[in-house]
Amino acid sequence: MESGYVTTPFGRRPMSLGMLANQHLAETIEPGMKRSKWKLFRAICEARPALGVTDRALTVLDALLTFYPDDEISEEKGLIVFPSNAQLSLRARGMTPATLRRHLAVLVEAGLILRKDSPNGKRYARRDRAGAIGDAFGFSVAPLLARAVEIESLAAQAVADRELLRVTRERLTLCRRDISKLITAALEEGVSGDWEGISAMFRTLLARIPRVATAEDLAPLLDEMAMLRAEIVNMLERRIKTQKIDANESQIEHHKQNSNPDSNYELEPSFETKQGEKAAADNDPNAGPSDERRLKQQRPSGRMSNRAGGAADPGAGQGLKSFPLGLVLQACPSILDYGPGGNIGNWRDLMSAAVVVRSMLGVSPSAYEEACSGMGPENAATVIACILERGGHINSPGGYLRDLTRRTEKGEFAIGPMLMALARANGPTARHAS
């Protein structure tokens, strides 16, 4: 568009302040800015609800973009397309003229295209003697270029919201299944408790699940169901502990009544790391009180070592624990530039930024979806941030992410060491030294 040029619509179509604002926005294109028209169109499709356009309007926009002569939209190559209604209707799958005009108006109202009408309302271009277009009248795609960053950000947010909704639905489904089967098991085993009240509470929670729900609608329900599941598990675990105590007391009583000193008893398999020492102490007739005290001191250490080992084991899939967001941002500050508005304030912002970075690094959507399924969406976003931070050290980010996903599923990969190494490299001491 010509700088400072204001165009009004032909005929009876009125002018509005919104159209004037869109024309002003179209003049704010940064010099040298370029975008692939089809990648930008896919981003518009992702962000369609936020942009307020219909699927039929997108069909018309798709047809309009086919008349743009190059794959990349740029000011140097012109921003006006000027197809006739007949040509546009053919490429819009035979859309009728009235429907075509209605959806063109939707695109103009949404600020995705501009009209640049000629004096007689026709669409055409004037060419000079060399064949170059001097002036053209039709539809300007300048708003697409001016709003490219905004559209890409909205698309990334839509993808992140959809992924969050998918994960929330999965967790809610698993929680519902767990509660239902745990209640059934408790009733079949005759575990004492107010199971009728718990069942009624569970049915109330199920009735509150809407048919069409967002992640924000499901999050509080998931929290309540998780608390109910935890309470049921606690009740069942107390029953299991009671049964173990009764069984142990029965074994001790049986041991006291057995007069055969050569009888062998199976050792408890609870602490495998200390079974040898326990067996030696139990079978040694000369073991005194000091030996018993030493054995008692060693048993808790064995239990704690097992717990520590369980916490350090990376596990597989959703077993990975996500790290604090502050630690991730300290280790990977480069991801901040890709957050909404250049900032990341929560995990949703980080996952939105990871979608943008994933596309920029050339990681395929399938590789990222596998990582989300294998590691969890928070950890997958953390790994993308780490890959971005390591920059040129990784030749194939997509292949590297798939390899980490496979290693995670086998329990061979933990995010902690990689994250802590980057945190040390980007910590205050490292920045001061640089």
Side-chain angles (χ1 to χ4, degrees):
M1 291 182 63
E2 298 176 9
S3 178
Y5 185 81
V6 176
T7 178
T8 57
F10 171 79
R12 296 182 180 180
R13 288 191 297 267
M15 183 66 179
S16 67
L17 293 180
M19 295 170 64
L20 187 61
N22 290 335
Q23 291 181 25
H24 175 71
L25 176 64
E27 295 181 359
T28 62
I29 300 173
E30 296 181 3
M33 189 173 185
K34 298 179 180 180
R35 282 295 189 277
S36 167
K37 63 181 182 182
W38 298 124
K39 288 184 179 180
L40 196 55
F41 178 72
R42 283 193 292 271
I44 293 172
C45 293
E46 291 282 3
R48 181 176 66 83
L51 293 172
V53 292
T54 62
D55 53 348
R56 299 294 301 278
L58 290 182
T59 300
V60 176
L61 181 60
D62 182 21
L64 275 176
L65 290 177
T66 62
F67 290 98
Y68 193 83
D70 296 281
D71 287 336
E72 284 190 337
I73 301 175
S74 64
E75 285 189 291
E76 292 78 6
K77 298 174 182 177
L79 297 172
I80 305 293
V81 291
F82 39 90
S84 65
N85 279 349
Q87 292 174 323
L88 192 56
S89 175
L90 287 175
R91 297 197 188 182
R93 287 38 170 194
M95 191 176 291
T96 62
T99 305
L100 189 66
R101 287 192 295 269
R102 186 168 66 252
H103 292 299
L104 284 170
V106 170
L107 293 174
V108 173
E109 185 69 22
L112 296 179
I113 62 172
L114 289 176
R115 292 182 183 274
K116 186 181 178 184
D117 288 343
S118 66
N120 61 3
K122 300 296 183 180
R123 300 177 201 135
Y124 57 88
R126 290 197 182 97
R127 300 178 184 272
D128 57 20
R129 293 184 177 180
I133 295 177
D135 200 3
F137 298 95
F139 296 103
S140 172
V141 295
L144 297 182
L145 202 56
R147 299 180 62 187
V149 176
E150 175 196 354
I151 291 171
E152 290 165 351
S153 178
L154 290 174
Q157 185 66 49
V159 172
D161 288 345
R162 186 169 64 246
E163 179 64 20
L164 179 61
L165 178 60
R166 182 188 67 81
V167 172
T168 305
R169 285 186 179 277
E170 286 181 354
R171 292 175 178 173
L172 187 62
T173 300
L174 292 175
C175 199
R176 290 172 58 182
R177 184 183 71 190
D178 293 344
I179 293 174
S180 177
K181 294 197 174 185
L182 288 173
I183 291 176
T184 302
L187 294 174
E188 291 178 352
E189 296 289 339
V191 179
S192 60
D194 184 15
W195 297 109
E196 291 185 2
I198 292 175
S199 298
M201 188 183 304
F202 180 47
R203 289 193 297 270
T204 302
L205 290 175
L206 292 179
R208 288 169 51 193
I209 300 176
R211 290 187 177 181
V212 180
T214 63
E216 288 77 10
D217 297 329
L218 297 180
L221 290 172
L222 178 59
D223 291 339
E224 293 183 43
M225 282 199 180
M227 293 175 61
L228 180 61
R229 178 177 59 182
E231 181 61 26
I232 295 172
V233 170
N234 287 337
M235 295 173 66
L236 296 179
E237 286 181 346
R238 286 196 296 269
R239 173 62 179 268
I240 293 173
K241 290 179 181 178
T242 302
Q243 290 178 343
K244 285 186 176 181
I245 291 174
D246 294 341
N248 289 339
E249 289 178 352
S250 176
Q251 290 178 359
I252 291 172
E253 186 65 24
H254 178 68
H255 176 72
K256 288 180 179 178
Q257 294 176 358
N258 194 335
S259 60
N260 183 5
D262 297 329
S263 297
N264 294 324
Y265 296 93
E266 291 184 358
L267 299 174
E268 293 180 0
S270 302
F271 311 110
E272 296 177 358
T273 57
K274 300 299 180 183
Q275 279 184 359
E277 297 181 13
K278 180 178 182 302
D282 289 343
N283 294 328
D284 185 2
N286 297 321
S290 61
D291 295 323
E292 293 177 0
R293 286 195 298 271
R294 178 173 59 82
L295 182 59
K296 290 179 180 179
Q297 293 172 356
Q298 289 173 345
R299 287 179 181 175
S301 65
R303 185 183 292 109
M304 292 181 66
S305 65
N306 286 341
R307 289 178 181 173
D313 185 6
Q318 302 294 342
L320 283 176
K321 300 296 183 183
S322 59
F323 288 83
L325 180 62
L327 175 61
V328 176
L329 298 181
Q330 177 188 345
C332 310
S334 299
I335 196 73
L336 288 168
D337 297 333
Y338 300 89
N343 187 33
I344 293 177
N346 50 50
W347 280 106
R348 178 178 293 180
D349 292 346
L350 180 64
M351 289 188 283
S352 298
V355 173
V356 177
V357 171
R358 186 272 305 164
S359 177
M360 183 188 70
L361 294 176
V363 177
S364 66
S366 61
Y368 187 62
E369 288 177 4
E370 290 174 4
C372 289
S373 299
M375 303 178 182
E378 296 88 353
N379 289 318
T382 300
V383 171
I384 288 291
C386 292
I387 293 175
L388 174 67
E389 197 65 32
R390 295 184 64 182
H393 297 287
I394 300 174
N395 294 328
S396 175
Y400 183 67
L401 181 62
R402 288 186 185 275
D403 180 64
L404 294 184
T405 303
R406 286 192 295 268
R407 290 170 57 190
T408 299
E409 293 171 350
K410 296 178 181 178
E412 299 175 352
F413 171 66
I415 300 177
M418 178 170 63
L419 197 62
M420 295 308 297
L422 290 173
R424 287 193 296 269
N426 294 322
T429 304
R431 289 196 296 268
H432 179 73
S434 60

